[in-house]
Amino acid sequence: FLITTAFHHHCSSHGGGVETTSKQAKHNSCQVATNGGPFESYRHGGCTGLVILNGTIVSGNFSSSSSSTSSSSSSLASGVGFGVTSDGNWLLGQLASESQVQQLGVDYFVTGLNGWLVYNGSNVVSSSKEDSSTSTAAAGPNIKELQSARTAVGVDYEGRLILVVVDGCEKCWERKHRGSTLQELASLLVR
Protein backbone atom coordinates (compact mmCIF):
# COMPACT_ATOMS: atom_id res chain seq x y z
CA PHE A 1 0.00 0.00 0.00
CA LEU A 2 1.29 3.47 -0.88
CA ILE A 3 -0.02 7.02 -0.72
CA THR A 4 2.07 9.46 -2.74
CA THR A 5 1.92 12.89 -4.35
CA ALA A 6 3.06 13.90 -7.79
CA PHE A 7 6.69 14.83 -8.35
CA HIS A 8 8.55 13.17 -5.50
CA HIS A 9 6.38 14.01 -2.51
CA HIS A 10 5.99 17.68 -3.45
CA CYS A 11 2.75 19.18 -2.11
CA SER A 12 3.32 22.81 -3.00
CA SER A 13 1.34 24.39 -5.80
CA HIS A 14 4.42 26.52 -6.58
CA GLY A 15 6.46 24.66 -9.17
CA GLY A 16 4.97 21.25 -8.42
CA GLY A 17 2.32 20.51 -10.97
CA VAL A 18 0.19 17.47 -11.50
CA GLU A 19 1.00 14.00 -12.75
CA THR A 20 -1.35 11.40 -14.16
CA THR A 21 -2.33 8.47 -12.00
CA SER A 22 -0.86 6.04 -14.55
CA LYS A 23 2.54 7.79 -14.40
CA GLN A 24 2.51 7.73 -10.60
CA ALA A 25 1.64 4.03 -10.66
CA LYS A 26 4.52 3.29 -13.03
CA HIS A 27 7.04 5.36 -11.00
CA ASN A 28 6.05 3.54 -7.81
CA SER A 29 5.67 0.02 -9.30
CA CYS A 30 1.97 -0.13 -8.38
CA GLN A 31 -0.40 -2.54 -10.07
CA VAL A 32 -3.48 -0.51 -9.09
CA ALA A 33 -3.69 3.25 -8.58
CA THR A 34 -6.40 5.85 -8.15
CA ASN A 35 -6.62 9.53 -7.33
CA GLY A 36 -6.94 10.23 -3.64
CA GLY A 37 -7.28 13.64 -2.07
CA PRO A 38 -8.07 16.98 -3.63
CA PHE A 39 -5.54 19.44 -4.96
CA GLU A 40 -5.48 23.21 -5.33
CA SER A 41 -5.19 23.51 -9.10
CA TYR A 42 -5.49 21.29 -12.17
CA ARG A 43 -2.52 23.15 -13.63
CA HIS A 44 -0.20 23.57 -10.66
CA GLY A 45 -1.20 20.81 -8.23
CA GLY A 46 -0.76 21.42 -4.53
CA CYS A 47 -2.25 19.23 -1.80
CA THR A 48 -5.16 20.40 0.31
CA GLY A 49 -6.04 19.09 3.73
CA LEU A 50 -3.85 16.74 5.72
CA VAL A 51 -1.38 14.57 3.80
CA ILE A 52 1.13 12.28 5.53
CA LEU A 53 3.77 10.36 3.53
CA ASN A 54 6.22 7.92 5.13
CA GLY A 55 5.38 9.35 8.57
CA THR A 56 6.08 12.94 7.49
CA ILE A 57 3.34 15.56 7.40
CA VAL A 58 3.75 17.14 3.96
CA SER A 59 0.53 19.13 4.12
CA GLY A 60 -0.53 19.84 7.69
CA ASN A 61 -3.87 21.54 7.47
CA PHE A 62 -5.44 20.36 10.73
CA SER A 63 -7.88 23.28 10.68
CA SER A 64 -10.15 21.30 8.34
CA SER A 65 -10.02 18.29 10.66
CA SER A 66 -11.95 17.59 13.83
CA SER A 67 -11.50 15.04 16.57
CA SER A 68 -15.24 14.97 17.11
CA THR A 69 -17.04 11.68 16.56
CA SER A 70 -20.51 13.17 16.72
CA SER A 71 -22.75 12.99 13.70
CA SER A 72 -23.60 16.70 13.62
CA SER A 73 -23.46 18.19 10.15
CA SER A 74 -20.41 20.31 10.98
CA SER A 75 -18.33 17.33 12.14
CA LEU A 76 -19.49 15.25 9.17
CA ALA A 77 -18.45 17.89 6.68
CA SER A 78 -14.70 18.25 7.03
CA GLY A 79 -11.33 16.61 7.39
CA VAL A 80 -12.31 12.99 6.83
CA GLY A 81 -9.56 10.87 5.38
CA PHE A 82 -7.97 7.46 4.97
CA GLY A 83 -4.64 6.35 6.39
CA VAL A 84 -2.37 3.50 7.34
CA THR A 85 -0.44 3.17 10.60
CA SER A 86 3.14 1.96 11.06
CA ASP A 87 1.86 -1.46 12.22
CA GLY A 88 -0.18 -1.89 9.01
CA ASN A 89 -3.63 -1.03 10.35
CA TRP A 90 -5.82 1.32 8.37
CA LEU A 91 -7.92 4.14 9.71
CA LEU A 92 -10.87 6.15 8.45
CA GLY A 93 -11.81 9.39 10.11
CA GLN A 94 -10.45 12.68 11.26
CA LEU A 95 -7.10 13.62 12.79
CA ALA A 96 -7.02 16.72 14.98
CA SER A 97 -3.33 17.32 15.72
CA GLU A 98 0.25 16.32 15.09
CA SER A 99 0.35 14.70 18.54
CA GLN A 100 -2.60 12.48 17.57
CA VAL A 101 -0.76 11.50 14.37
CA GLN A 102 2.28 10.52 16.44
CA GLN A 103 0.22 8.73 19.11
CA LEU A 104 -1.54 6.59 16.49
CA GLY A 105 1.66 5.99 14.50
CA VAL A 106 0.18 7.22 11.22
CA ASP A 107 2.54 6.62 8.28
CA TYR A 108 0.18 7.56 5.45
CA PHE A 109 -2.94 9.70 5.37
CA VAL A 110 -4.89 11.61 2.75
CA THR A 111 -7.86 13.89 3.37
CA GLY A 112 -10.86 13.42 1.12
CA LEU A 113 -12.58 16.12 -0.89
CA ASN A 114 -15.50 16.35 1.49
CA GLY A 115 -16.70 14.95 4.77
CA TRP A 116 -18.36 11.63 5.41
CA LEU A 117 -20.52 10.23 2.60
CA VAL A 118 -21.83 7.41 4.77
CA TYR A 119 -21.80 7.45 8.57
CA ASN A 120 -23.01 4.52 10.69
CA GLY A 121 -24.54 2.91 7.61
CA SER A 122 -26.55 5.97 6.50
CA ASN A 123 -26.10 8.27 3.53
CA VAL A 124 -25.25 11.65 5.10
CA VAL A 125 -24.74 13.70 1.93
CA SER A 126 -27.27 16.50 2.11
CA SER A 127 -29.60 16.76 -0.85
CA SER A 128 -30.32 20.40 0.01
CA LYS A 129 -28.76 22.87 -2.42
CA GLU A 130 -28.65 25.48 0.35
CA ASP A 131 -26.40 23.29 2.52
CA SER A 132 -22.86 24.53 1.94
CA SER A 133 -21.20 21.93 4.20
CA THR A 134 -19.96 19.99 1.18
CA SER A 135 -18.40 23.01 -0.54
CA THR A 136 -14.68 23.49 -0.94
CA ALA A 137 -12.86 26.59 -2.13
CA ALA A 138 -10.96 24.62 -4.76
CA ALA A 139 -14.00 22.87 -6.24
CA GLY A 140 -16.62 25.56 -5.93
CA PRO A 141 -19.95 25.86 -4.15
CA ASN A 142 -21.81 23.15 -6.11
CA ILE A 143 -19.37 20.27 -5.65
CA LYS A 144 -22.03 17.90 -4.32
CA GLU A 145 -24.11 18.42 -7.48
CA LEU A 146 -21.15 18.01 -9.85
CA GLN A 147 -20.92 14.74 -11.72
CA SER A 148 -17.31 13.61 -11.78
CA ALA A 149 -14.98 10.65 -11.48
CA ARG A 150 -14.99 9.64 -7.80
CA THR A 151 -12.99 7.51 -5.39
CA ALA A 152 -14.34 6.41 -2.00
CA VAL A 153 -12.93 4.26 0.79
CA GLY A 154 -15.16 2.58 3.31
CA VAL A 155 -15.88 -0.41 5.48
CA ASP A 156 -18.56 -2.97 4.68
CA TYR A 157 -20.90 -4.56 7.23
CA GLU A 158 -18.32 -7.32 7.91
CA GLY A 159 -15.55 -4.81 8.66
CA ARG A 160 -13.69 -5.28 5.36
CA LEU A 161 -12.01 -2.33 3.70
CA ILE A 162 -13.56 -1.43 0.34
CA LEU A 163 -12.40 0.91 -2.40
CA VAL A 164 -14.94 2.21 -4.92
CA VAL A 165 -13.85 4.01 -8.08
CA VAL A 166 -16.39 5.60 -10.41
CA ASP A 167 -15.01 6.56 -13.80
CA GLY A 168 -16.13 9.84 -15.30
CA CYS A 169 -15.40 12.98 -17.25
CA GLU A 170 -16.54 16.37 -15.89
CA LYS A 171 -16.54 18.01 -19.31
CA CYS A 172 -18.26 15.22 -21.28
CA TRP A 173 -21.46 16.24 -23.06
CA GLU A 174 -23.37 13.05 -22.32
CA ARG A 175 -24.58 12.79 -18.71
CA LYS A 176 -23.97 9.03 -18.57
CA HIS A 177 -20.21 9.58 -19.10
CA ARG A 178 -19.73 12.28 -16.47
CA GLY A 179 -19.46 10.04 -13.40
CA SER A 180 -21.47 10.37 -10.20
CA THR A 181 -22.54 13.07 -7.77
CA LEU A 182 -21.59 12.73 -4.10
CA GLN A 183 -25.21 11.77 -3.35
CA GLU A 184 -25.11 8.99 -5.98
CA LEU A 185 -21.76 7.70 -4.67
CA ALA A 186 -23.06 7.62 -1.09
CA SER A 187 -26.17 5.75 -2.24
CA LEU A 188 -23.95 3.21 -4.01
CA LEU A 189 -21.96 2.67 -0.80
CA VAL A 190 -25.00 1.88 1.37
CA ARG A 191 -26.43 -0.77 -0.99
Side-chain angles (χ1 to χ4, degrees):
F1 180 84
L2 175 71
I3 293 176
T4 187
T5 62
F7 303 108
H8 312 291
H9 311 300
H10 186 34
C11 254
S12 171
S13 62
H14 305 291
V18 294
E19 185 177 44
T20 65
T21 305
S22 56
K23 284 184 182 178
Q24 285 192 35
K26 184 176 180 180
H27 292 156
N28 293 288
S29 302
C30 294
Q31 294 177 0
V32 176
T34 185
N35 285 329
F39 45 92
E40 294 176 12
S41 163
Y42 283 106
R43 183 184 238 183
H44 302 290
C47 304
T48 63
L50 179 61
V51 178
I52 301 170
L53 303 172
N54 296 317
T56 302
I57 299 170
V58 296
S59 177
N61 184 356
F62 288 102
S63 63
S64 66
S65 296
S66 167
S67 61
S68 171
T69 58
S70 76
S71 61
S72 71
S73 62
S74 62
S75 69
L76 295 176
S78 65
V80 177
F82 171 72
V84 178
T85 64
S86 57
D87 57 1
N89 292 313
W90 47 264
L91 59 97
L92 291 169
Q94 300 162 310
L95 295 170
S97 66
E98 189 170 348
S99 62
Q100 186 181 30
V101 169
Q102 292 171 354
Q103 178 185 4
L104 295 172
V106 180
D107 276 350
Y108 296 95
F109 190 85
V110 61
T111 304
L113 180 60
N114 289 83
W116 296 99
L117 299 175
V118 175
Y119 195 83
N120 288 333
S122 297
N123 178 337
V124 294
V125 177
S126 171
S127 59
S128 168
K129 291 185 180 185
E130 290 81 37
D131 178 15
S132 62
S133 66
T134 55
S135 297
T136 65
N142 297 318
I143 186 66
K144 67 183 165 191
E145 302 297 326
L146 178 70
Q147 283 182 272
S148 185
R150 306 276 182 195
T151 302
V153 178
V155 180
D156 72 5
Y157 65 94
E158 293 182 12
R160 297 174 296 195
L161 186 69
I162 58 172
L163 175 66
V164 176
V165 178
V166 176
D167 194 17
C169 169
E170 292 175 28
K171 299 192 186 322
C172 291
W173 287 99
E174 291 185 53
R175 185 184 191 319
K176 67 181 181 180
H177 297 297
R178 292 184 193 157
S180 71
T181 65
L182 293 177
Q183 182 70 249
E184 291 167 338
L185 181 58
S187 294
L188 177 65
L189 291 169
V190 296
R191 283 188 189 170

